[in-house]
Amino acid sequence: MSPTATAIATPASHVSLGSTEGFEVVGSVSPVSIASGLSETVASDGLNTAWAQIVHSVTNRAIASANSGSKIITIDLAQGESAQEFLTRLRMLLLFMNRDTDSISATISPSFRDDTYPAMLALVKSFQRSGASEDWRPDGPRSIRMGNARYLFVSVDMPVADRSPSPDTLIEIVAAHRISSSWYDQRVSPRVSSAGLTTVMFGAPNSPDPEYANSIFKRERSKNLSGRPGGIHFLRQLNWSATAAV
């Protein structure tokens, strides 16, 4: 792996991706299959197994596509908890891994000011720190390109006028407990039909936010916990656990 790729994939503190301490995996997704093909490390926190599952799903999307399958992953965060560093590193890795393909991924956030702009700024700064500042370029009002791979940023409260291409690799939904299911069904669902696409939703369960009752996170989390085929939920209680249905 090149120095740039290593800088993108490896944070300051480390834990083996194969580590499952503090996790219980239920269903047919085993710790071995989650970590399959991954040799790098991620931050030593409850998101490490979620990271491995997301990367595993994305890198195996050709197999999932052949089987007309897609993965929907829901991940609990504590109220007010940020996954910014985790998500920035994931976006960098996806762009780097897919730079020779026409891969398209996207992040959907409730607020341009509070979510989208800080996410874009964090990604640019991380590229600069990693030594890859000349490997990416802006590509439209809220799109970043590395080689042939593109990453789009979508804000619920401030949509971009021009129509962007539909993602075929990953859709990542930040603060999904603040995004209504009706908006998602109208604006996102018609564009997530690509076979093999991985959708990841981060949210705070039982959030006091008024949007939570009708949020896409509450609905999709419930479906995953009920055993939806192709769904995986990472449950945060005293410890983290993963409930998988495939």
Side-chain angles (χ1 to χ4, degrees):
M1 181 173 283
S2 72
T4 300
T6 302
I8 291 172
T10 311
S13 58
H14 307 85
V15 64
S16 170
L17 278 177
S19 171
T20 57
E21 182 179 356
F23 291 80
E24 179 183 1
V25 180
V26 181
S28 58
V29 178
S30 69
V32 173
S33 66
I34 286 176
S36 174
L38 300 170
S39 59
E40 295 303 322
T41 55
V42 294
S44 179
D45 58 28
L47 291 172
N48 61 345
T49 299
W51 165 284
Q53 178 59 60
I54 294 167
V55 176
H56 178 78
S57 297
V58 169
T59 54
N60 286 277
R61 71 183 187 277
I63 298 173
S65 179
N67 297 327
S68 298
S70 59
K71 194 75 71 178
I72 299 178
I73 302 171
T74 49
I75 301 174
D76 285 354
L77 296 178
Q79 184 68 27
E81 181 181 9
S82 172
Q84 181 81 284
E85 182 180 352
F86 171 92
L87 295 173
T88 298
R89 198 167 299 280
L90 177 63
R91 293 161 191 153
M92 293 175 70
L93 184 60
L94 287 177
L95 281 167
F96 190 86
M97 287 194 313
N98 295 303
R99 64 195 183 282
D100 294 327
T101 73
D102 292 323
S103 164
I104 301 172
S105 297
T107 288
I108 299 171
S109 304
S111 167
F112 176 80
R113 185 191 67 181
D114 297 335
D115 306 304
T116 303
Y117 181 74
M120 295 174 67
L121 185 60
L123 182 58
V124 170
K125 288 184 175 179
S126 291
F127 273 130
Q128 293 172 341
R129 289 194 298 268
S130 73
S133 58
E134 296 182 0
D135 296 336
W136 71 276
R137 68 181 188 274
D139 186 47
R142 293 184 210 164
S143 176
I144 287 178
R145 179 185 289 270
M146 177 177 278
N148 294 326
R150 296 181 64 189
Y151 209 104
L152 314 175
F153 291 85
V154 179
S155 305
V156 173
D157 68 343
M158 196 181 294
V160 176
D162 61 331
R163 182 172 176 81
S164 57
S166 296
D168 59 9
T169 302
L170 175 75
I171 291 181
E172 163 199 297
I173 304 174
V174 178
H177 61 280
R178 290 163 42 209
I179 297 177
S180 73
S181 57
S182 60
W183 181 90
Y184 183 89
D185 291 342
Q186 180 182 1
R187 302 295 296 272
V188 181
S189 291
R191 306 180 66 185
V192 296
S193 58
S194 177
L197 179 73
T198 298
T199 302
V200 184
M201 300 186 185
F202 295 83
N206 303 312
S207 169
D209 288 281
E211 301 95 334
Y212 177 71
N214 298 310
S215 70
I216 187 60
F217 183 70
K218 181 180 180 182
R219 188 182 78 185
E220 300 304 306
R221 180 181 188 271
S222 296
K223 288 182 179 181
N224 279 354
L225 288 171
S226 297
R228 167 175 45 196
I232 297 176
H233 179 69
F234 289 89
L235 182 67
R236 181 164 194 171
Q237 295 176 329
L238 294 178
N239 263 325
W240 288 63
S241 60
T243 301
V246 294

